Amino acid sequence: MGFTDADINAIFLTLKLAGTVTCLLLVIGTPIAWWLARTHSWLKGPISAVVALPLVLPPTVLGFYLLIVMGPNGVVGQITQAMGLGTLPFTFSGLVVASVLYSMPFVVQPIQNAMEAIGERPLEVAATLRAGPWDTFFSVVIPLAKPGFVTAAILGFAHTVGEFGVVLMIGGNIPNETRVISVQIYDHVEALDYAQAHWLSGAMVIFSFVVLAGLYLFQHRRRIYLLPKGV
Amino acid sequence: MSSTPITARFKLQFPASRHERFSLDVNLKLPDQGVTAIFGHSGSGKTTLLRCIAGLHKAPGGHLQINGETWQADKKFLPPYKRPIGYVFQESSLFPHLTARENLAFAIKRSTNRISDTDYRQILSLMGIENILNQHPSELSGGERQRVAIARALMIHPRILLLDEPLAALDFARKQDILPYLERVREQSAIPIIYVSHAADEVARLADHLVVMDQGRAVAQGPLKEVLANLDLPIKLGDDSGVVIEGRITERDVDWHLVRAEFSGGSLWVRDTGEALGQVIRIRILARDVSLALQPHDDTSILNRLQGEILEITPDENEAISSVKLRVGNDYLISRVTHRSVHHLELAPGRQIWAQIKSAAVVR
């Protein structure tokens, strides 16, 4: 026994999806996190809420709306069709878009927390040492917020690997395109193929445990390292 | 030396908290050399003033000119990262993700006129940090961190050095460790230094020029000696009130570990702190250590007696005490005596008097 070819394909598809989504989220989420960490605008509350929505909404709700918006008659769907890209639902790209939105809070919040924890002082110090805003961002903010970025990347990746509802709504079940591990397990169970379901499910449990244990270990070590030695 | 002074004019108002409003309203002309101390109690606006000079705090409508260069005027506001300043913050401000050496390199890399190797090594030895360069800030003591921070500020060849209570977060012993380093900076750099402090002893030791702040206003400014001898200061110094006198060492008494420092009003015997003959030392005389007598007494333990003329007598914040300002030569002394003594000795402006100085501290 072991993984079937279809299982292996699902695993690779899942890793590809999670990897793509994590990279995109780090790029998109960083400026959002920075803005949220620094702004005094009244928009901070509403924007934070929008970013956090996937935490509380059933994935089916998010999937449902995305299906409509990206569908042939939706705003995004019209645009993608006009650009000659067709429609996004039931494609890998559609899955990426949905996953980016769905995993957004898991990436934005750790980065935002880490950036807020830096405080005003290091930025002022950098300014007095002639570092302009961009320079300060790359040479001070990002290094100091590194633990937040590591946490964000791990959580973003792991959460994308673990999603199911959104995938089913927006991606369906197309081999090598949208059939990720969670969907594959669902298929096995539907087909009463419990042995295969066990293999994949067990692998998921181990993967998730290792990732989370590694993350907590990292955060714990980090905290000790950051403690100053007394004034 | 160019004599274009530093002019700073800031007006700022913001609610410090829900209940009290804070406002800053200053118009200063500061010398372009030596140490200018901005002195005041906490909440007097001295740090805000320094932050305005650095550009860290934006005071709309302010005006700031340093050595003929305008940093802020009307619509113009040079952002802090374009101002050639060295700034040392109150608490450790080293980047925690960089070693001491990398912290210095951060500054050097961005400075407009690159520091020479000789200057680099000289600053390291000036601050005594050659041996801790590879450590991270978390591995350094508070005093070491502050020395690295001062070195980092010097590395960019600043046009002006701004120090915001650099010793406030340190305990007494560490303070004593760092003060000599600050004195060396003061002696060896030709740039103006603005030093914010609420500690009268630091000010007496380091400053040449003094600005006294109270409730966002500069209530007194001028050469250190004159401002300290001003009895009308709106902020009360109490036990800290006193004057500073600079004297040249003319005689050394090896047996008794004393040196004689001569100044305009006579000479003072003070503790021998190892300075060479001919050197100028700074002596701080607290008002509470000066007593007054109509006649010189030889039969006391007091070593130093100076004859002077009473200029002014004002009531102290303590209701039993008066402050008496004397002129000795071209210098001043302040004495705190009781109202009863003023009455008993019939002290009055114009009267010749003997000041007995119980203790005089060599502060430099």
Side-chain angles (χ1 to χ4, degrees):
Chain A
M1 284 301 274
F3 295 126
T4 63
D5 283 349
D7 288 350
I8 303 278
N9 286 343
I11 290 171
F12 274 112
L13 183 69
T14 306
L15 293 180
K16 183 176 149 199
L17 175 68
T20 311
V21 167
T22 306
C23 291
L24 281 173
L25 270 177
L26 287 177
V27 173
I28 300 167
T30 302
I32 295 176
W34 180 237
W35 184 81
L36 287 174
R38 302 284 303 166
T39 187
H40 297 291
S41 160
W42 64 273
L43 278 171
K44 177 174 177 166
I47 301 276
S48 300
V50 168
V51 169
L53 268 183
L55 290 176
V56 291
L57 278 183
T60 42
V61 172
L62 186 68
F64 170 65
Y65 282 121
L66 282 174
L67 203 54
I68 289 177
V69 172
M70 302 198 300
N73 299 319
V75 183
V76 177
Q78 304 258 332
I79 294 171
T80 51
Q81 285 177 95
M83 289 165 72
L85 299 170
T87 51
L88 291 176
F90 310 109
T91 64
F92 181 74
S93 307
L95 213 49
V96 169
V97 172
S99 302
V100 162
L101 291 175
Y102 189 50
S103 295
M104 183 82 81
F106 294 87
V107 172
V108 169
Q109 288 182 356
I111 298 177
Q112 184 188 341
N113 290 342
M115 285 171 166
E116 281 172 352
I118 293 173
E120 203 68 30
R121 189 42 52 84
L123 310 181
E124 293 187 346
V125 173
T128 65
L129 298 173
R130 318 262 189 101
W134 287 99
D135 186 1
T136 300
F137 185 78
F138 286 107
S139 53
V140 177
V141 175
I142 288 191
L144 285 180
K146 203 173 93 188
F149 280 98
V150 173
T151 304
I154 292 174
L155 284 182
F157 189 91
H159 189 251
T160 306
V161 168
E163 71 185 47
F164 173 66
V166 171
V167 179
L168 215 56
M169 292 293 285
I170 201 82
N173 188 355
I174 304 163
N176 288 329
E177 183 76 20
T178 63
R179 190 189 282 166
V180 294
I181 296 173
S182 55
V183 177
Q184 178 77 354
I185 294 171
Y186 181 73
D187 273 0
H188 285 318
V189 175
E190 285 279 273
L192 296 179
D193 188 355
Y194 281 19
Q196 281 311 117
H198 263 304
W199 272 97
L200 272 181
S201 299
M204 284 294 278
V205 169
I206 292 167
F207 166 80
S208 305
F209 174 78
V210 168
V211 164
L212 290 180
L215 180 64
Y216 287 125
L217 207 66
F218 166 80
Q219 286 178 337
H220 180 64
R221 278 231 315 271
R222 202 70 200 181
R223 219 163 288 144
I224 287 170
Y225 166 77
L226 283 175
L227 273 181
K229 205 181 73 175
V231 181
Chain B
M1 266 285 156
S2 96
S3 58
T4 329
I6 298 164
T7 55
R9 207 165 59 231
F10 297 112
K11 225 175 187 151
L12 195 65
Q13 202 161 51
F14 55 91
S17 72
R18 216 172 273 274
H19 302 293
E20 49 178 323
R21 291 180 69 80
F22 172 78
S23 68
L24 180 75
D25 187 357
V26 291
N27 189 353
L28 298 171
K29 267 196 194 340
L30 307 176
D32 65 346
Q33 49 188 307
V35 175
T36 298
I38 313 273
F39 176 79
H41 298 310
S42 57
S44 60
K46 52 194 193 308
T47 293
T48 308
L49 168 61
L50 199 70
R51 290 172 58 82
C52 285
I53 294 174
L56 294 173
H57 209 113
K58 222 168 178 172
H63 183 95
L64 177 65
Q65 211 170 15
I66 308 272
N67 293 352
E69 247 180 65
T70 304
W71 288 3
Q72 188 181 347
D74 305 321
K75 289 250 149 39
K76 178 171 180 174
F77 180 84
L78 203 64
Y81 58 89
K82 289 194 177 148
R83 301 184 181 198
I85 50 169
Y87 198 106
V88 178
F89 291 84
Q90 185 169 337
E91 75 295 319
S92 170
S93 60
L94 298 181
F95 295 122
H97 63 295
L98 302 176
T99 62
R101 189 194 306 280
E102 289 163 346
N103 264 282
L104 299 179
F106 187 102
I108 294 167
K109 194 175 141 195
R110 289 163 177 82
S111 110
T112 36
N113 41 351
R114 198 55 84 85
I115 195 164
S116 71
D117 251 18
T118 335
D119 285 353
Y120 179 75
R121 272 195 290 273
Q122 201 223 332
I123 292 173
L124 293 188
S125 76
L126 188 71
M127 288 293 126
I129 54 172
E130 299 101 320
N131 297 323
I132 55 174
L133 288 179
N134 292 327
Q135 319 228 26
H136 273 93
S138 59
E139 300 165 312
L140 300 175
S141 73
E144 288 169 332
R145 284 202 284 257
Q146 216 48 328
R147 268 149 58 196
V148 176
I150 296 168
R152 187 176 62 179
L154 293 173
M155 289 292 176
I156 65 166
H157 278 313
R159 196 82 49 79
I160 182 169
L161 189 60
L162 307 173
L163 306 172
D164 181 13
E165 308 214 35
L167 307 181
L170 305 176
D171 59 34
F172 180 78
R174 294 248 161 76
K175 244 181 228 183
Q176 301 310 309
D177 282 350
I178 294 208
L179 272 167
Y181 292 105
L182 285 176
E183 277 169 1
R184 283 199 238 164
V185 172
R186 174 190 184 282
E187 281 157 26
Q188 304 207 1
S189 65
I191 55 165
I193 298 173
I194 299 185
Y195 187 95
V196 164
S197 178
H198 70 271
D201 56 326
E202 289 169 26
V203 171
R205 191 162 167 173
L206 293 169
D208 304 303
H209 194 87
L210 181 58
V211 176
V212 180
M213 297 280 296
D214 187 38
Q215 294 176 2
R217 309 282 185 283
V219 290
Q221 54 176 312
L224 175 77
K225 288 190 210 173
E226 283 172 27
V227 177
L228 284 182
N230 179 2
L231 291 187
D232 306 325
L233 282 187
I235 71 167
K236 293 303 173 196
L237 294 173
D239 280 352
D240 270 335
S241 81
V243 296
V244 159
I245 283 174
E246 279 175 324
R248 186 176 299 280
I249 298 177
T250 52
E251 192 182 337
R252 166 166 271 123
D253 187 333
V254 180
D255 292 343
W256 302 108
H257 302 289
L258 295 170
V259 289
R260 194 161 72 118
E262 226 163 79
F263 72 106
S264 66
S267 65
L268 292 165
W269 283 100
V270 295
R271 203 164 61 85
D272 187 353
T273 48
E275 277 84 2
L277 288 182
Q279 209 165 326
V280 174
I281 55 173
R282 186 178 274 199
I283 300 159
R284 183 174 186 220
I285 302 170
L286 292 176
R288 59 175 175 175
D289 290 331
V290 179
S291 62
L292 301 176
L294 297 176
Q295 302 293 330
H297 294 289
D298 284 326
D299 53 348
T300 82
S301 67
I302 287 173
L303 205 55
N304 290 312
R305 287 184 305 271
L306 297 168
Q307 195 175 18
E309 180 197 340
I310 296 179
L311 292 176
E312 200 183 342
I313 303 174
T314 50
D316 197 276
E317 71 264 31
N318 180 326
E319 56 188 18
I321 305 287
S322 282
S323 290
V324 180
K325 181 177 176 182
L326 317 171
R327 187 209 306 280
V328 282
N330 297 325
D331 285 283
Y332 302 102
L333 280 179
I334 298 178
S335 168
R336 291 181 90 201
V337 295
T338 59
H339 291 326
R340 191 158 81 177
S341 301
V342 171
H343 183 76
H344 185 67
L345 297 176
E346 292 170 1
L347 301 180
R351 184 143 196 204
Q352 291 293 316
I353 195 95
W354 286 89
Q356 310 187 104
I357 296 156
K358 200 172 135 203
S359 108
V362 180
V363 290
R364 195 169 74 220

